Amino acid sequence: MKISKLIALLSVSVIAAVSLPGCQPNQKTISCKDIFSPELEGLDGSGRILNYTRINSKNEEKIEKILIGNVDTSKLNSSQSNEYYDAKRKADKFANSFSFTIDDYSEKEGNYQNGDEINVTVNYNEEYAELMNINVKDTNFVYKVSNLTEGTKINPFEKLKVTYEGASPNGSVTIDDSECPEFVKNHISFSSSKSRNLKNGESIKISASYSLSRANSEEVIITEKEKDYTVSGLSEYPTSIEGVDMSEIESQMEQMLKEAIELNYPKGSSTYTDDSAQITISSTSYKNVKKYFFNKKLVDEYATPSNSYVCIYEVTITGPATYGNSKLKKGQTGTLKKYYIAQTDDITLDNDKNVLLTENYSEPISGSFSYKKSLDELIENYKSYNDDYTMTEIN
């Protein structure tokens, strides 16, 4: 049989048959398992598979030997040498028609570990294989990952402290890695999907970012790269104070009122009644006449909530007239009524509905005397300045 015919068919023992009689173009078999040799990088648990989609040079040579055989090119004459290299080109072309696909590669990439079984699918030039009488088998097979180096496994979230500050829905998150392993403290940065305007019950995702090459060089395997957290423990702006104990706040308001009375209307000092009679103050008394809860009307979820608790006290000041008038003679008891407004802004509650005062104000309770002549006039005036709040009277 002529060597040119064997090479043309790219069948068995083409060049090896140059000096051997009786060669036959038998069918050759290629197992896809034998020519799949991906590169592995990284550590056990964080491995990567590289350069796996095509035949590498080593396996290209393996296919050449299967199809052509072992050829001593030094023994070929010029014609045989041309035929050999023509056959080699055809064998290489066939080898390069192979392509490999790994199932679920995008999901596992960067997380392979020893023992992982990977489904591999192979495509190749089937027409060429049939023409050249080549049997290609194992076009779907399982590849088992091995030889990845063991490393130190670290979960960066294990000792990470995630805390929440402020009042819902304006809370913020703080991430503290001070108790984490050295690699985490030195080489991992954390970020939150949302760090401000947080509210209780909201879910956030914290991600760990680091250099894979750094981790590999220090033989560290990061076992978790992100984690979901649920915001909790923030104080909350109440929309109602029903069932909330306000006695401590009211006690502070009354103390403020007493100090204001002593400062502005001390006993023995002079003042004027509403009808302009002068009296010397002999006694003062007060009573709470109205309580209100103001809650800001929020136009959207990004608006800043706020509220106020307001107590209105009626203060009665009495004393003998120093100078009388048409209604009051000298020596008769005259009376002056004033209204004192005490207000606490930005009330928040803890999880047990206990009152907390936000840290926005160094003096959260304020108070002042009003010069309105009637309680109704005072309340209407107060409403007009707070029309973007709902106003609820507390009994």
Side-chain angles (χ1 to χ4, degrees):
M1 181 178 290
K2 290 184 178 180
I3 191 169
S4 59
K5 181 178 179 181
L6 295 176
I7 293 177
L9 293 175
L10 197 59
S11 59
V12 62
S13 305
V14 176
I15 300 303
V18 172
S19 301
L20 299 176
C23 65
Q24 297 296 325
N26 296 328
Q27 186 180 59
K28 284 295 183 178
T29 298
I30 295 175
S31 171
C32 294
K33 288 183 179 180
D34 295 337
I35 58 174
F36 180 71
S37 54
E39 296 178 22
L40 297 176
E41 176 186 80
L43 304 171
D44 182 17
S46 63
R48 297 169 62 86
I49 298 180
L50 308 176
N51 302 325
Y52 66 89
T53 60
R54 296 291 178 184
I55 296 287
N56 59 25
S57 58
K58 182 178 179 180
N59 287 321
E60 188 177 89
E61 291 176 2
K62 185 184 293 186
I63 291 176
E64 288 178 10
K65 288 182 180 180
I66 292 173
L67 300 183
I68 302 175
N70 293 313
V71 178
D72 185 352
T73 56
S74 65
K75 295 180 179 181
L76 301 179
N77 60 34
S78 177
S79 176
Q80 291 171 335
S81 180
N82 289 336
E83 291 175 349
Y84 165 75
Y85 285 109
D86 182 56
K88 184 178 184 302
R89 281 192 295 272
K90 291 177 180 179
D92 292 346
K93 183 176 181 180
F94 178 63
N96 288 323
S97 75
F98 281 81
S99 64
F100 302 89
T101 304
I102 294 175
D103 292 352
D104 301 326
Y105 176 80
S106 60
E107 295 180 11
K108 280 288 286 185
E109 176 58 359
N111 296 291
Y112 286 106
Q113 58 186 1
N114 290 328
D116 277 349
E117 294 186 342
I118 300 170
N119 294 317
V120 181
T121 301
V122 185
N123 290 303
Y124 63 96
N125 191 324
E126 295 182 21
E127 293 182 1
Y128 195 84
E130 184 177 357
L131 178 64
M132 296 298 110
N133 196 25
I134 303 169
N135 174 35
V136 178
K137 67 176 185 177
D138 302 322
T139 56
N140 290 281
F141 63 92
V142 174
Y143 174 80
K144 194 170 185 177
V145 176
S146 62
N147 299 322
L148 288 172
T149 303
E150 294 284 344
T152 302
K153 294 183 178 180
I154 295 177
N155 184 339
F157 298 96
E158 186 174 347
K159 294 187 177 181
L160 191 70
K161 290 184 178 180
V162 178
T163 56
Y164 309 97
E165 299 177 349
S168 179
N170 285 342
S172 60
V173 62
T174 299
I175 301 172
D176 180 5
D177 64 1
S178 60
E179 296 185 7
C180 292
E182 289 301 311
F183 183 86
V184 176
K185 290 191 289 187
N186 296 331
H187 303 300
I188 292 183
S189 61
F190 295 93
S191 61
S192 175
S193 58
K194 186 179 180 183
S195 58
R196 308 185 70 83
N197 297 321
L198 301 177
K199 59 184 178 182
N200 287 326
E202 184 174 5
S203 179
I204 60 174
K205 187 184 298 294
I206 294 180
S207 302
S209 300
Y210 62 97
S211 166
L212 182 59
S213 60
R214 166 73 72 171
N216 288 337
S217 67
E218 298 196 19
E219 297 191 350
V220 169
I221 299 170
I222 301 302
T223 60
E224 192 171 6
K225 297 177 183 178
E226 58 183 25
K227 185 175 181 179
D228 292 326
Y229 290 82
T230 300
V231 179
S232 63
L234 294 173
S235 59
E236 296 197 27
Y237 284 90
T239 56
S240 167
I241 57 170
E242 183 178 357
V244 177
D245 182 6
M246 301 298 292
S247 59
E248 177 62 27
I249 298 296
E250 291 178 7
S251 177
Q252 294 181 45
M253 288 177 168
E254 287 195 25
Q255 181 60 36
M256 183 180 292
L257 169 61
K258 290 177 182 179
E259 293 173 359
I261 291 173
E262 291 177 2
L263 177 65
N264 291 277
Y265 301 99
K267 289 183 180 181
S269 64
S270 296
T271 189
Y272 291 89
T273 64
D274 290 335
D275 55 6
S276 300
Q278 185 179 34
I279 62 172
T280 299
I281 299 173
S282 59
S283 65
T284 57
S285 62
Y286 64 88
K287 63 180 179 179
N288 183 273
V289 290
K290 291 289 182 181
K291 300 177 185 178
Y292 293 98
F293 179 67
F294 289 82
N295 190 56
K296 190 173 183 179
K297 302 172 185 176
L298 300 180
V299 294
D300 57 54
E301 63 176 313
Y302 300 105
T304 302
S306 64
N307 56 40
S308 298
Y309 183 62
V310 176
C311 287
I312 301 176
Y313 299 90
E314 183 181 84
V315 180
T316 302
I317 303 161
T318 59
T322 306
Y323 296 100
N325 57 20
S326 59
K327 296 181 180 180
L328 188 68
K329 294 181 179 179
K330 182 178 179 181
Q332 290 182 320
T333 300
T335 300
L336 170 65
K337 286 189 177 181
K338 304 289 292 184
Y339 292 99
Y340 186 86
I341 301 174
Q343 178 171 323
T344 302
D345 295 321
D346 289 333
I347 296 172
T348 60
L349 304 180
D350 64 16
N351 294 333
D352 297 321
K353 284 194 171 184
N354 296 315
V355 176
L356 301 170
L357 297 180
T358 65
E359 298 179 356
N360 296 340
Y361 299 89
S362 57
E363 296 180 0
I365 297 177
S366 61
S368 63
F369 282 102
S370 170
Y371 293 90
K372 301 298 179 184
K373 292 184 178 182
S374 71
L375 180 60
D376 290 341
E377 183 182 356
L378 172 64
I379 293 173
E380 288 303 316
N381 182 72
Y382 209 79
K383 285 181 179 180
S384 67
Y385 284 102
N386 295 277
D387 57 357
D388 57 342
Y389 286 75
T390 59
M391 181 177 178
T392 304
E393 185 172 358
I394 308 300
N395 295 321

